[in-house]
Amino acid sequence: MRTFRRYRKGEAGIGSIVIKFYHSGDQIRGYLRKVTDPEQEEDTVFPSEELQVDDAFLMAENKHREATPIFVELAEGIRWNPAWGRLI
């Protein structure tokens, strides 16, 4: 079972991968970003179209470093699905 960490601003180190899930119509979609230096205005967003949930997890696993967890941010109204793994 995959384990992910809930994203909270300031807890993810520079270079960490964050998946943000949000509503797109009646579906859940996601995008990835990499946490940058706090002095920069915004994190680096990976260019992509809206990703389906499984594709977002796969892309995040391909980009993250073994020593760091993958963080997940849930937009308002999105509930974690236990089938996706464990969110701590």
Side-chain angles (χ1 to χ4, degrees), residues 3-88:
T3 299
F4 304 95
R5 301 234 1 227
R6 184 177 301 273
Y7 175 77
R8 291 178 182 86
K9 189 170 179 126
E11 288 186 16
I14 294 172
S16 295
I17 299 295
V18 179
I19 305 170
K20 181 166 185 175
F21 289 116
Y22 57 93
H23 285 287
S24 178
D26 63 347
Q27 297 184 343
I28 296 174
R29 296 287 191 227
Y31 69 88
L32 274 66
R33 70 177 191 270
K34 185 184 338 181
V35 177
T36 58
D37 188 320
E39 293 181 13
Q40 291 185 359
E41 290 184 26
E42 296 181 7
D43 292 339
T44 301
V45 175
F46 291 102
S48 64
E49 297 182 20
E50 296 179 338
L51 297 168
Q52 293 184 10
V53 172
D54 289 338
D55 293 337
F57 285 126
L58 181 62
M59 185 180 259
E61 288 171 351
N62 286 336
K63 291 187 177 299
H64 97 287
R65 299 182 313 239
E66 275 307 309
T68 62
I70 295 173
F71 290 86
V72 174
E73 182 177 8
L74 302 174
E76 186 175 332
I78 301 290
R79 300 186 79 178
W80 182 256
N81 180 342
W84 298 340
R86 191 171 73 143
L87 184 64
I88 55 172

